[in-house]
Amino acid sequence: MKPSALLSLVIASCFLGGCTPEEGPVFVPEISFPINISAEETEANSVFEFPLVLNASTTRDITVRFETRALTAEADNDYIHVSDSLTIPAGTASASIFVEIVIDEYKEEDEEFRVVLTGSSNAVLAGGTQEAIGTIRNDDTVIWVTDQGYTSAEGYPGKALVWSDEFNGEAIDLQNWTYDLGASGWGNQELQNYTSSSDNAYLSNGNLLIVAEDEGNQYTSARMKSIGLQEFQYGRIDVRAVLPFGQGIWPAIWMLGGNFPSAGWPACGEIDIMELIGSAPNVVHGTVHFGADWTQHNYVGQATNLPFGQSFADEFHVYSIDWDENGITWLLDDTPFYSIDANVTGSQPYPFDNPFFFILNVAVGGQWPGYPNASTTFPQFMAIDYVRVFQ
Ligand SMILES: [Ca+2]
Ligand SMILES: [Ca+2]
Ligand SMILES: [Ca+2]
């Protein structure tokens, strides 16, 4: 071997880390990983950079092994899972771990994941373990809604579609809907403040969303009604919806007699096409309320349910009534589960031979559902794909 070749070999082996300086023991630096990252889920923040810091540079390359671990953020749904190693070149004292964030257009909770250093070579982890938290802060307002579930027939023998709102436009059709407003509690000790804000009711991807929000000092929601705008006497009525869930949440798809302003409740009659108590998210109720005045108020109804463990929040179902001069039949996904006839009110007036208007709302709290607790998550929403009336 020529001398120049031997020199090259020595240099090469030094580069590979096999050669140490002659000045004594090698310094082993400590790695810390001190910075949590919190940023909105925007394109500008599509990569979270977590800095690593050495307490001194060293003469050897350092290798750090790391991986992401899910907390409330889901791997590959909210961020891209990574399990890898990183080399910090000799002579440098800092480096960064990069985690890719999944950007979407839908509203979410602020969500967290961890980046954990799992090992190192030529350096030690300060304190034995090091991790940083990544917080992906929500920046979106639109709620994601499934497109799965039951779809009702386009028509029925002997009946024609006389009215529908398919909620497929850009904005809520004020030819069809107006709002009940305020925080009156509606006689049921409800907590929500009903607004006409586009935060609480809006159209998205072909659905009407009615959204109950926890604003910290109050709950807001929406209660929409078709009084004086769209009123119907009799018909097959189909409403396709995904329902909210949770303790203290009370969605309803219902009707009042158009004479409500003059006759009052319950003399006007109330037809509850669907009500659900969020603590029992697999049970829906069909009910009628009647009585010459509130002291004589009475009601009859019946529940039907999905198998335990399923929820009306999981996918769309169609809530229906089939209503004519002989009475009312309630259906879930075209399966009848309850009927009344004109004898149901006994000695009280039968108010269900009149035009009725629709009410769509999500109440928060009340005597019947009880009140939200720590298990209740917000926002809660009811998504309605369509309301159709066939006669
Ligand atoms: Ca996300
Ligand atoms: Ca999002
Ligand atoms: Ca629709």
Side-chain angles (χ1 to χ4, degrees):
M1 185 181 286
K2 294 193 292 182
S4 62
L6 180 60
L7 180 61
S8 298
L9 189 63
V10 169
I11 291 168
S13 68
C14 285
F15 270 109
L16 291 171
C19 160
T20 55
E22 294 111 52
E23 297 90 42
V26 179
F27 177 71
V28 179
E30 284 194 343
I31 302 173
S32 56
F33 190 43
I35 309 289
N36 295 328
I37 301 298
S38 173
E40 284 195 333
E41 186 201 85
T42 60
E43 292 297 338
N45 301 325
S46 63
V47 176
F48 280 14
E49 178 177 359
F50 295 87
L52 284 164
V53 179
L54 303 186
N55 62 347
S57 64
T58 178
T59 53
R60 298 183 297 183
D61 287 357
I62 292 170
T63 301
V64 179
R65 289 177 297 282
F66 63 93
E67 64 184 33
T68 54
R69 293 180 189 169
L71 289 169
T72 50
E74 288 180 32
D76 300 331
N77 197 7
D78 296 305
Y79 66 92
I80 303 302
H81 171 70
V82 58
S83 177
D84 203 351
S85 63
L86 165 75
T87 298
I88 304 172
T92 50
S94 65
S96 289
I97 292 171
F98 297 95
V99 178
E100 190 180 343
I101 302 304
V102 177
I103 309 298
D104 65 34
E105 64 191 275
Y106 296 111
K107 180 170 187 161
E108 299 158 278
E109 299 287 296
D110 294 349
E111 296 173 321
E112 295 184 335
F113 63 90
R114 298 195 291 161
V115 185
V116 181
L117 306 187
T118 57
S120 61
S121 304
N122 297 336
V124 294
L125 303 181
T129 180
Q130 284 283 323
E131 69 168 40
I133 304 290
T135 302
I136 310 167
R137 297 204 312 270
N138 176 66
D139 72 316
D140 295 309
T141 57
V142 172
I143 291 172
W144 178 85
V145 179
T146 182
D147 59 4
Q148 303 295 301
Y150 186 82
T151 300
S152 52
E154 297 283 320
Y156 299 94
K159 290 189 169 77
L161 182 70
V162 296
W163 176 78
S164 74
D165 195 332
E166 303 288 327
F167 303 116
N168 291 345
E170 291 293 312
I172 291 167
D173 186 349
L174 300 180
Q175 305 292 316
N176 293 337
W177 304 103
T178 183
Y179 297 86
D180 273 327
L181 299 175
S184 71
W186 306 94
N188 301 308
Q189 280 74 58
E190 299 167 27
L191 298 180
Q192 77 289 313
N193 181 19
Y194 285 128
T195 81
S196 57
S197 163
S198 59
D199 292 339
N200 294 116
Y202 59 91
L203 302 191
S204 169
N205 293 326
N207 298 312
L208 167 66
L209 272 82
I210 295 180
V211 183
E213 296 270 11
D214 180 355
E215 312 267 1
N217 58 343
Q218 66 172 346
Y219 300 105
T220 58
S221 186
R223 172 157 142 161
M224 301 176 54
K225 57 184 181 177
S226 67
I227 187 168
L229 298 168
Q230 302 295 342
E231 301 188 353
F232 302 94
Q233 180 175 345
Y234 308 140
R236 164 72 184 234
I237 295 168
D238 291 334
V239 183
R240 184 172 192 254
V242 174
L243 305 184
F245 63 95
Q247 169 63 37
I249 303 296
W250 182 11
I253 297 167
W254 52 301
M255 307 182 83
L256 287 177
N259 60 351
F260 166 67
S262 57
W265 184 92
C268 64
E270 173 181 328
I271 304 171
D272 300 327
I273 301 171
M274 185 292 303
E275 289 184 283
L276 173 137
I277 298 306
S279 56
N282 66 326
V283 180
V284 288
H285 303 259
T287 311
V288 285
H289 296 258
F290 52 86
D293 58 50
W294 66 268
T295 66
Q296 300 178 83
H297 166 229
N298 204 348
Y299 63 93
V300 293
Q302 196 156 301
T304 189
N305 61 280
L306 299 174
F308 186 78
Q310 295 184 25
S311 166
F312 286 103
D314 292 341
E315 59 179 15
F316 280 96
H317 292 274
V318 178
Y319 307 93
S320 304
I321 58 171
D322 203 349
W323 172 28
D324 62 22
E325 61 277 10
N326 298 314
I328 305 171
T329 293
W330 282 255
L331 308 93
L332 171 65
D333 297 340
D334 204 37
T335 301
F337 67 92
Y338 182 53
S339 292
I340 62 163
D341 62 27
N343 298 317
V344 74
T345 57
S347 61
Q348 295 296 317
Y350 182 85
F352 305 109
D353 290 326
N354 279 307
F356 274 57
F357 62 88
F358 291 101
I359 305 178
L360 311 171
N361 71 293
V362 177
V364 180
Q367 286 168 318
W368 188 23
Y371 294 89
N373 63 22
S375 72
T376 312
T377 59
F378 287 91
Q380 283 294 323
F381 68 90
M382 176 161 67
I384 300 182
D385 183 9
Y386 52 73
V387 180
R388 293 175 180 162
V389 180
F390 302 86
Q391 290 176 336

